[in-house]
Amino acid sequence: MPPAAHGLILAPLWPYVQGDGAGPLPFAVGAAPAGCDIGQGEWVRDEAARPWYQEWECPYIQPQLTCQAHGRPDKGYQNWRWQPRGCSLPSFNATMMLEMLRGKRMLFVGDSLNRGQYVSLLCLLHRAIPDGAKSFETVDSLSIFRAKDYDATIEFYWAPMLAESNSDDAVVHRVDDRVIRGAPMDKHSRFWQGAHILVFNSYLWWTAGDKIKILRGADNDLSKDIVEMKAAEAYRLVLHQVVRWLERNADPKNSRAFFVTASPTHTDSSAWGDETEGGNCYNQTTPIGDASYWGSTSREILRVTEEVLATSRVPIGVVNITQLSEYRRDGHTQTYKKQWAEPTPEQRADPRSYADCTHWCLPGVADTWNELLYWKLFFPSNDQAL
């Protein structure tokens, strides 16, 4: 059933107010039940309601995420619905969301996982818009989807480390020795100005090693005044700058900001009890059933995220996708994607050796991330500080 087919269920605006009592959060049309933590729950197989759309009918999915087009033999990964524990929340409604975005600009900022979530949202919305009333373009690091009848844009800006770095090219960004600029953030943040809804993420690129190089000051020469810092502390420094930018530039009376937590990988099957040598997400067709499962996601990075966002003087919604995505070993693109380089004969003999256990097929897990974002945006919880 398409997302637009569900009826609206609207609650009064007043129940969810900002932490300082300044009034309702922008875009809120209701509130989640008290004590509802949408990040805790279970995956329920629901072939009647999932997927929301078909891979072939969404023209915005990059070939790196079109698993069926690249030969994936199973479709079960598309049929799982996330059910928050003890919560009953309205279903995703594309028409309602577009109406709420009328005259607004929504911007995703981050890495390829964030881009996957962005594309997922376009897939969820675009069927509610006539073909002649929408457009899509990408120029350098910025992609823009326009819903013309709504005078709305939904955009993605490539900034995998949020701060300026030598990985900022939206196409050619595979570098072994990453360098970020400690300050200022102007190169990227000038594109964030004026957005009514900002959705940030940054995790994966901070986990490539224990240390990261930081360029001090505004000198454009990346070879000067470089120091090494522990990756988690460099991440803390950058995230603090994002929060400070929001405090200076975001108007909490008419805008919202969100941070999407870490997207897990499934590169070692021994983590879920499968001791097969070299095992990973390849050929996995069902979620992990152990509710206590936690893979290799860095708790240190998650702790830093929580600590820094808690210092913000403006509301920042946390979209906690980590635990629910930990269970989804089956949802990755595996080998069923456009490859950056042709696999060698040795790799083809052992597909596990080049399986992508980081990115997610669409339709799939990222659609649920947008369901959580939808709930956070329009039906925030009364008892959440962030």
Side-chain angles (χ1 to χ4, degrees), residues 31-235:
C36 175
D37 182 353
I38 59 177
Q40 298 297 316
E42 62 180 341
W43 289 100
V44 178
R45 192 165 181 83
D46 190 346
E47 295 184 19
R50 300 291 186 275
W52 269 311
Y53 57 89
Q54 297 298 321
E55 178 186 294
W56 58 266
E57 66 186 1
C58 183
Y60 311 107
I61 308 176
Q62 310 99 304
Q64 290 80 17
L65 306 179
T66 51
C67 299
Q68 293 297 307
H70 288 87
R72 180 159 177 170
D74 64 304
K75 285 188 174 182
Y77 64 91
Q78 300 180 357
N79 300 132
W80 294 93
R81 172 175 56 83
W82 179 249
Q83 179 58 56
R85 191 172 297 117
C87 303
S88 179
L89 291 161
S91 299
F92 186 99
N93 186 298
T95 305
M96 189 272 263
M97 183 165 188
L98 286 165
E99 193 59 51
M100 294 298 293
L101 291 177
R102 185 177 292 276
K104 306 299 183 183
R105 179 184 179 222
M106 183 176 188
L107 176 63
F108 288 75
V109 179
D111 60 19
S112 57
L113 282 314
N114 196 270
R115 181 168 55 200
Q117 182 175 355
Y118 165 70
V119 169
S120 159
L121 184 60
L122 301 188
C123 294
L124 289 167
L125 294 175
H126 88 104
R127 284 198 302 172
I129 308 170
D131 286 343
K134 57 195 172 190
S135 66
F136 180 80
E137 64 176 328
T138 297
V139 179
D140 298 326
S141 294
L142 186 66
S143 298
I144 304 174
F145 175 86
R146 288 185 172 86
K148 298 176 184 178
D149 291 346
Y150 294 91
D151 187 28
T153 64
I154 304 171
E155 307 174 24
F156 170 76
Y157 182 77
W158 171 264
M161 308 190 83
L162 301 180
E164 183 180 351
S165 77
N166 62 346
S167 301
D168 283 345
D169 189 295
V171 178
V172 183
H173 46 252
R174 293 189 168 194
V175 296
D176 294 327
D177 197 17
R178 289 173 184 154
V179 181
I180 65 170
R181 187 184 304 283
M185 304 189 72
D186 302 7
K187 177 187 173 183
H188 293 329
S189 62
R190 61 193 174 97
F191 288 94
W192 311 346
Q193 293 280 358
H196 300 90
I197 303 170
L198 279 161
V199 183
F200 294 97
N201 95 314
S202 192
Y203 167 73
L204 185 68
W205 288 56
W206 297 94
T207 62
D210 293 333
K211 299 287 184 74
I212 198 161
K213 292 180 178 178
I214 296 183
L215 174 68
R216 292 174 171 170
D219 189 340
N220 287 327
D221 185 352
L222 288 179
S223 67
K224 294 182 179 178
D225 200 14
I226 292 176
V227 296
E228 269 197 338
M229 183 180 287
K230 192 167 182 272
E233 292 310 307
Y235 172 74

Side-chain angles (χ1 to χ4, degrees), residues 187-373:
K187 177 187 173 183
H188 293 329
S189 62
R190 61 193 174 97
F191 288 94
W192 311 346
Q193 293 280 358
H196 300 90
I197 303 170
L198 279 161
V199 183
F200 294 97
N201 95 314
S202 192
Y203 167 73
L204 185 68
W205 288 56
W206 297 94
T207 62
D210 293 333
K211 299 287 184 74
I212 198 161
K213 292 180 178 178
I214 296 183
L215 174 68
R216 292 174 171 170
D219 189 340
N220 287 327
D221 185 352
L222 288 179
S223 67
K224 294 182 179 178
D225 200 14
I226 292 176
V227 296
E228 269 197 338
M229 183 180 287
K230 192 167 182 272
E233 292 310 307
Y235 172 74
R236 183 188 296 274
L237 178 138
V238 168
L239 200 55
H240 263 299
Q241 290 190 49
V242 173
V243 169
R244 299 292 89 83
W245 183 90
L246 287 169
E247 291 173 343
R248 292 191 301 270
N249 295 277
D251 182 355
K253 294 180 180 177
N254 63 25
S255 66
R256 295 278 295 281
F258 297 91
F259 195 90
V260 181
T261 61
S263 171
T265 61
H266 294 86
T267 57
D268 181 4
S269 63
S270 66
W272 57 84
D274 180 355
E275 300 296 338
T276 303
E277 184 177 355
N280 53 25
C281 71
Y282 183 70
N283 266 352
Q284 299 294 333
T285 58
T286 58
I288 294 168
D290 179 4
S292 66
Y293 174 78
W294 187 273
S296 59
T297 306
S298 169
R299 293 184 185 275
E300 182 179 23
I301 292 289
L302 292 179
R303 188 186 72 251
V304 170
T305 303
E306 181 179 6
E307 290 172 355
V308 174
L309 296 185
T311 69
S312 176
R313 296 192 296 272
V314 297
I316 301 175
V318 178
V319 184
N320 187 356
I321 67 166
T322 306
Q323 183 65 76
L324 67 90
S325 304
E326 285 280 5
Y327 304 132
R328 294 303 306 276
R329 61 187 174 188
D330 59 313
H332 294 290
T333 54
Q334 304 181 20
T335 60
Y336 306 107
K337 54 178 280 187
K338 179 182 179 180
Q339 303 291 337
W340 290 102
E342 186 67 21
T344 65
E346 292 77 14
Q347 287 177 318
R348 290 198 178 279
D350 182 9
R352 297 172 303 178
S353 66
Y354 70 102
D356 182 344
C357 298
T358 296
H359 298 94
W360 306 88
C361 301
L362 286 179
V365 174
D367 300 324
T368 295
W369 300 351
N370 279 315
E371 191 173 24
L372 267 64
L373 176 60

